[in-house]
Amino acid sequence: MSAVERATGSYAEAFRQSVEQPEQFWLEAAEAVDWDVAPTRALDSSSAPMYRWYPDATMNTCRNALDRHVAAGRGEQAALIYDSAMLGTTRTYSYAQLLDEVSRFAGVLTAQGISAGDRVIVYMPMIPEAAVAMLACARIGAVHSVVFGGFAAAELAARIDDAEPKALVTASGGLEPGRTIEYLPMVERALGLTDKAPAVVIVKDRPSIPGTAADVAGWLDWDAEVAAAAPADCVSVAATDPLYILYTSGTTGKPKGVVRDNGGHAVALTWSMRNLYDIGAGQVMWTASDVGWVVGHSYIVYGPLLAGATTVMYEGKPVGTPDAGAFWRVVQDHQVRALFTAPTAIRAIRKEDPDAKELANYDISSLTTLFAAGERLDPDTYEWAGRVLGVPVVDHWWQTETGWAICANLRGLEPMPIKAGSPTVPVPGYRVEILDGEGAPVEAGTEGNIVIALPMPPGTLAGLWRDEDRYVRSYLSTFDGYYLTGDSGYIDEDGYVFVLGRSDDVINVAGHRLSTGSMEAVVAEHPEVAECAVIGIRDELKGQRPSGYVVLKSGSEIDPEQLRKDLVAMVRDQIGAVATFRDVTVVQALPKTRSGKILRKTMRQIADHDEYTVPSTIEDPAVLDALAKLLGPGA
Ligand code: COA
Ligand code: AMP
């Protein structure tokens, strides 16, 4: 049976084949994609450790996501359902309609001189035009870079600096409960902060939200441009050409520009739709995330459309829009078969509706599986969701860099028993191992660094945008021959992987990946602050939250509450509301090693009231004692 047809089969056999005969495995999987020039080879290792998939093939991702389904007679089928709980409206786009919108917007971009290889920044709320802009870029071979709407102007500017876009696409506003997000002033501010400002800015005006393109001279109005545009056709690109850049948090303040190719991405996502999510043409998948994150790229936009399925794009929250039944309403209204969300969302629903009483108001019988990712699915939340929904709750682990799941319970290929706290087993193509600090393999059940043997499967990052050095330094140089995931965990006797958390300074707040390093850089700018550390501490609802520890300059007499207010406002202004930085503690000194490294892990253990051992390299144990008195269980 070929990998394309394998909707049910043996996980063990598929995994073995992917490792022993990767060429054959991934060439077979590639048969599910429409190529302009079909691949004769799967992997090019000639420039290892920079690997390239399908080096002699050409294709177009947008053609695979739209045109070919229309050509196959699916034109009238729903492609994208936009459900705005914020506005109380729903709009359905058939494949034919979405193709029309995308072709026209591709025509707008072409008319503005954007062509293959040019970068386009998309800074938009959860409205269909965000997906249209992404697909239009793919159609003409331009490279999109979506910036999450919750990031502030300085973060947008940092991404513009790095990507050097020719165009920026935005909207007049977004809607968050209780307030509107005005994008235009933020875009203006960002453009003032960079010397790489794009020549073209296109604004989708939302009538319900103030601010229009006309407010800023020279900016183009989406609707007017689309009305006048001639549709543009697909441009054939090399499978190895970039489809998008997605910036993600590293340990420093400078975000990493993860580069995704076209061909490997299309093959991997198509394979995952059938084998992992068990979703085929005509079935409905709802990923309750945001197009600004990788989960949104892969499973709001590309994955479901590549599979000819129907995707739901939801503008709203799990609670408060209007209540804790919001998710169940969407499942019912759109006959959702697979729902994918972050554990935080489930915790938020549970907190508000512990007995899931809201479920009685809806018929969710279409739902077969709840998928969770973005952060660890804690056993308590897992048990609750499984009990109230009565469907399998499937955790799967991945990252922006990999673009699709590293470990999962492959519901289409071979559903396996679920163990609470584990995303189950490595997905075919991923050779996952646990290494200790010296790079030696550890015994089953022992915690260590989770690494993936190179090469990784198609769909994973091709590198970092124009920074091969940083790519090698960040991911490939710690352990020779392996990709470092940055997560720590263990593999049990049955081969199940358990992901326990990050081993670096990246934190995960409500499924949003953030860098404590970039928050520290902001906090350090305060005139009264001599030194600071920001760590991620446990949070019942959001998994983690940032917590700042500040040493004041000698003689400073600033009121601690004033300091807190200043710092909260600074982080919100420079990084964005999504950072949810609220905790500030003034300390006399920060615990450090003799070489001056701040003992962040020990600080985290103290703040979380976990057990900790005093590191032998500590400079002054009294500093740690003082911290334990301030933050420890007895405090
Ligand atoms: N644009 C602008 N601002 C945004 C935003 C966006 N797209 N998304 C979030 N924000 C703002 C929020 O309005 C909030 O601002 P506030 O401080 O003024 O209230 C802040 O960023 C923090 O947002 P969030 O972390 O989402 O907290 P919340 O209290 O609004 O909601 C949850 C809590 C649990 C309901 C929410 O975090 C959630 O739905 N999480 C699911 C996570 C998810 O989908 N992750 C994606 C990866 S899979
Ligand atoms: P992002 O790149 O934003 O998708 O964040 C990736 C990080 O989120 C991973 O490196 C993990 O730390 C964490 N993560 C994502 N999914 C899971 C999961 N299922 N279990 C545990 N951690 C997860």
Side-chain angles (χ1 to χ4, degrees):
M1 198 199 305
S2 84
V4 183
E5 294 157 338
R6 189 190 288 113
T8 54
S10 145
Y11 161 73
E13 185 210 329
F15 187 82
R16 189 174 41 76
Q17 201 197 348
S18 77
V19 169
E20 290 175 5
Q21 297 158 312
E23 276 288 308
Q24 188 190 332
F25 186 87
W26 291 116
L27 279 177
E28 281 179 12
E31 288 167 24
V33 166
D34 268 9
W35 302 91
D36 299 336
V37 174
T40 63
R41 291 193 296 146
L43 180 65
D44 176 6
S45 306
S46 59
S47 309
M50 309 303 285
Y51 296 94
R52 294 288 175 258
W53 286 93
Y54 309 110
D56 59 1
T58 65
M59 50 87 71
N60 183 282
T61 297
C62 180
R63 191 200 309 284
N64 274 276
L66 299 177
D67 305 60
R68 86 169 160 157
H69 303 309
V70 175
R74 298 194 158 276
E76 297 315 306
Q77 184 205 300
L80 185 149
I81 301 171
Y82 165 57
D83 185 310
S84 175
M86 305 302 305
L87 293 170
T89 57
T90 297
R91 197 174 346 134
T92 300
Y93 294 74
S94 68
Y95 268 97
Q97 287 166 332
L98 192 58
L99 173 58
D100 184 55
E101 296 267 339
V102 168
S103 309
R104 283 175 188 281
F105 193 65
V108 172
L109 293 175
T110 308
Q112 291 303 319
I114 316 290
S115 60
D118 291 337
R119 275 81 57 210
V120 175
I121 295 264
V122 177
Y123 183 54
M124 293 180 107
M126 281 286 285
I127 55 175
E129 286 77 7
V132 169
M134 292 164 75
L135 290 158
C137 289
R139 193 165 188 83
I140 60 169
V143 181
H144 61 71
S145 188
V146 183
V147 179
F148 176 61
F151 281 126
E155 291 285 327
L156 175 60
R159 285 152 178 80
I160 294 173
D161 273 342
D162 197 65
E164 301 185 26
K166 263 200 174 167
L168 185 150
V169 186
T170 188
S172 58
L175 292 164
E176 283 291 300
R179 68 191 172 107
T180 54
I181 311 293
E182 291 189 34
Y183 280 72
L184 305 191
M186 280 194 285
V187 171
E188 273 196 290
R189 219 177 122 197
L191 297 186
L193 292 171
T194 171
D195 53 8
K196 301 281 170 28
V200 180
V201 177
I202 305 171
V203 183
K204 169 67 195 167
D205 194 21
R206 299 186 79 186
S208 46
I209 299 167
T212 65
D215 294 344
V216 185
W219 289 9
L220 305 175
D221 177 70
W222 172 295
D223 293 323
E225 296 300 315
V226 166
D233 209 346
C234 294
V235 170
S236 195
V237 298
T240 53
D241 280 342
L243 170 67
Y244 68 76
I245 307 167
L246 180 57
Y247 288 89
T248 189
S249 301
T251 46
T252 66
K254 189 175 183 284
K256 292 169 168 168
V258 167
V259 177
R260 192 87 54 216
D261 66 2
N262 274 276
H265 174 254
V267 172
L269 292 194
T270 305
W271 191 92
S272 74
M273 288 301 295
R274 173 53 77 200
N275 290 281
L276 200 167
Y277 299 100
D278 194 23
I279 292 282
Q283 294 177 325
V284 184
M285 179 172 195
W286 173 29
T287 299
S289 176
D290 189 289
V291 287
W293 305 113
V294 71
V295 170
H297 278 60
S298 295
Y299 296 109
I300 295 175
V301 181
Y302 288 111
L305 297 179
L306 286 166
T310 300
T311 185
V312 178
M313 194 169 186
Y314 175 69
E315 188 182 35
K317 302 268 171 182
V319 292
T321 58
D323 53 38
F327 272 26
W328 321 138
R329 197 260 312 151
V330 175
V331 169
Q332 167 188 277
D333 286 359
H334 308 305
Q335 292 293 291
V336 171
R337 176 178 163 83
L339 165 58
F340 175 177
T341 191
T344 304
I346 307 170
R347 285 196 296 270
I349 295 170
R350 180 186 180 181
K351 192 171 168 210
E352 203 154 304
D353 183 16
D355 300 321
K357 291 202 176 94
E358 287 288 350
L359 272 171
N361 300 325
Y362 304 96
D363 173 2
I364 62 155
S365 54
S366 61
L367 189 70
T368 61
T369 319
L370 173 67
F371 291 93
E375 55 175 317
R376 177 168 177 265
L377 175 61
D378 58 285
D380 204 27
T381 305
Y382 162 78
E383 305 282 358
W384 183 84
R387 184 162 46 78
V388 303
L389 294 175
V391 298
V393 178
V394 175
D395 184 14
H396 57 322
W397 165 61
W398 49 299
Q399 347 179 277
T400 305
E401 290 85 343
T402 63
W404 64 298
I406 308 165
C407 286
N409 197 305
L410 294 131
R411 307 309 291 175
L413 179 63
E414 184 192 0
M416 296 171 80
I418 293 173
K419 292 191 190 187
S422 167
T424 315
V425 289
V427 168
Y430 288 101
R431 288 168 295 149
V432 176
E433 296 179 32
I434 311 289
L435 303 180
D436 68 16
E438 271 67 55
V442 302
E443 308 246 304
T446 306
E447 186 181 345
N449 299 289
I450 315 183
V451 297
I452 304 167
L454 295 172
M456 294 202 284
T460 53
L461 78 171
L464 295 182
W465 179 248
R466 289 182 175 165
D467 200 347
E468 194 177 317
D469 272 4
R470 189 174 183 200
Y471 172 55
V472 172
R473 218 176 340 121
S474 308
Y475 302 104
L476 309 183
S477 62
T478 311
F479 302 115
D480 204 26
Y482 292 96
Y483 166 86
L484 182 72
T485 64
D487 282 307
S488 70
Y490 65 93
I491 302 181
D492 76 3
E493 300 280 354
D494 300 325
Y496 278 57
V497 178
F498 289 76
V499 182
L500 300 174
R502 297 287 304 191
S503 49
D504 55 18
D505 298 329
V506 166
I507 59 170
N508 219 299
V509 183
H512 309 313
R513 175 167 159 183
L514 299 164
S515 153
T516 52
S518 61
M519 291 187 221
E520 281 178 11
V522 175
V523 172
E525 277 175 24
H526 191 286
E528 304 287 327
V529 170
E531 252 196 316
C532 67
V534 176
I535 57 173
I537 65 169
R538 247 197 306 271
D539 183 271
E540 220 175 277
L541 175 65
K542 299 194 175 186
Q544 280 187 307
R545 69 170 190 274
S547 186
Y549 299 87
V550 170
V551 180
L552 295 177
K553 284 187 179 154
S554 72
S556 168
E557 286 178 3
I558 188 167
D559 167 46
E561 184 50 24
Q562 184 56 46
L563 175 76
R564 197 189 73 83
K565 279 192 186 143
D566 290 354
L567 295 177
V568 167
M570 284 166 70
V571 173
R572 193 175 171 97
D573 182 59
Q574 292 190 44
I575 296 178
V578 70
T580 50
F581 180 82
R582 311 240 197 283
D583 304 353
V584 176
T585 307
V586 175
V587 293
Q588 291 306 312
L590 294 169
K592 290 184 187 163
T593 62
R594 282 190 289 275
S595 59
K597 212 168 156 257
I598 297 172
L599 291 163
R600 290 187 176 75
K601 186 174 168 196
T602 317
M603 289 178 71
R604 196 176 66 223
Q605 288 167 325
I606 292 175
D608 284 344
H609 300 178
D610 284 347
E611 280 187 17
Y612 67 96
T613 45
V614 179
S616 57
T617 51
I618 192 160
E619 185 191 30
D620 180 1
V623 174
L624 211 55
D625 288 346
L627 202 69
K629 273 203 195 91
L630 191 68
L631 306 173

